[in-house]
Amino acid sequence: MMVLRTALVVTALVTTTLTARAEDRSVLLNCKAMVEHASKDTGTATEAELTRCRQIIREWALRDARTTVDEQGRQLK
């Protein structure tokens, strides 16, 4: 019984980790461009795409706020 419970916990952790992977910064830049373009020209992106991009932008803003070094490992000023 304990082995089954442990296996379920491990499976849940692996699944969560795989789905919660960090997006590449190029995805952020593409999303910013898409949201900006959509604000000027309606009908260019679906609501689902815009919602996903807004979420990515929020996640990056939170991540950048917690970052103390840049992408090369140098301290931020």
Side-chain angles (χ1 to χ4, degrees):
M1 185 71 168
M2 186 63 135
V3 173
L4 178 60
R5 191 174 297 166
T6 303
L8 289 174
V9 169
V10 170
T11 303
L13 287 173
V14 169
T15 302
T16 303
T17 303
L18 290 176
T19 58
R21 64 180 173 77
E23 299 287 345
D24 188 86
R25 192 167 288 270
S26 65
V27 175
L28 171 67
L29 298 175
N30 290 336
C31 279
K32 282 183 174 181
M34 181 187 296
V35 169
E36 183 180 342
H37 185 68
S39 69
K40 296 176 184 176
D41 184 20
T42 58
T44 58
T46 66
E47 192 60 36
E49 290 172 326
L50 289 174
T51 301
R52 178 179 170 270
C53 278
R54 288 182 184 117
Q55 180 63 35
I56 289 170
I57 292 168
R58 276 191 296 272
E59 289 171 0
W60 270 97
L62 291 172
R63 182 182 307 160
D64 285 345
R66 293 187 310 261
T67 303
T68 59
V69 295
D70 67 7
E71 292 175 343
Q72 284 76 40
R74 295 182 300 240
Q75 290 291 327
L76 295 175
K77 296 179 182 176

